[in-house]
Amino acid sequence: MASWYTHAKSLTQSEAPMAKKQSAFIGLMQRARNVKRWPLMAQFQEEMLSTHIYEASMVAHMLGAIAADVFGEQVNPDKVASMAIFHEGSEIAGMSDIPSPVKYHDPETTAAIKKLERRFEAMLLQTLPEALQQRYQPLIEQNKEDIHVKLAKAADVLCAYLKCDYELSKSNSEFANAMQEMEVQLAQYRQRLKAVDYFCKVFLEDAKGTLDEQTKDLDWVQRANTLHLDGNRGQ
């Protein structure tokens, strides 16, 4: 009995310091649901950063899969998706979404904001336990020359393009100029990255369509009609 008590007490003492070392990392990442994108724009449907991260990660994984499986490139789709998950780390850590016209107003402003982004990324990284920082450092403080980061950024642009197209489809002319900017950026990515061009040829148009258009090749309508008609006959 005494030995059990001694063992339990030693476990409690050894675990006590750990209880004092709580990390805010996950809590900060969850703050993405509170960060509004396109903050200066009137939106038909408001977009939160958490939604954008999900969509960008999904598209990023597809771009990575295309690069690897269609074009035989040395690309890991899971790594591309991971880059997309953390590509807005500075916004989550406190910067929020800075409109592009502000961020790129002049070289001095751009340099200052980029410096702030790096600082907030470092702050986010430092909230992690030291044992985990090395693993997450390349995901948060990303190397812009890494093909996985480039594909994740392309996914970011694709999602912004689709957002502009959606808003314009709802007669929201607020996004007309933004759409022109996205078209220019997307055209450049299509020229530089074969996976992006392939994605646009295969997935982009249906991504902009209605549910009926997106499911036109499925046989659910015929199955539903058959079920209802047969059911009526059975009655």
Side-chain angles (χ1 to χ4, degrees), residues 51-67 77 80-81 84 151-160 162 186 195-196 199-200 203-204 207:
T51 301
H52 170 68
I53 289 174
Y54 162 73
E55 293 178 351
S57 302
M58 174 184 60
V59 173
H61 193 279
M62 179 60 72
L63 290 176
I66 293 168
V80 182
L151 288 169
K153 178 58 181 177
D156 179 55
V157 171
L158 277 163
C159 290
L162 289 169
L186 185 55
V196 177
F199 180 96
C200 291
F203 296 105
L204 193 58

Side-chain angles (χ1 to χ4, degrees), residues 29 34 52 55 61 63 66 72-73 91 102-103 110 115 121 123 156 165 180 183 189 192 215 221 230:
M29 290 297 298
N34 300 328
H52 170 68
E55 293 178 351
H61 193 279
L63 290 176
I66 293 168
E73 299 176 15
E91 294 187 15
V102 175
K103 184 183 294 186
T110 302
K115 184 177 180 179
E121 288 167 355
M123 288 170 55
D156 179 55
D165 181 83
Q180 293 177 359
E183 287 175 339
Y189 275 100
R192 298 177 185 180
T215 58
V221 174
D230 289 348

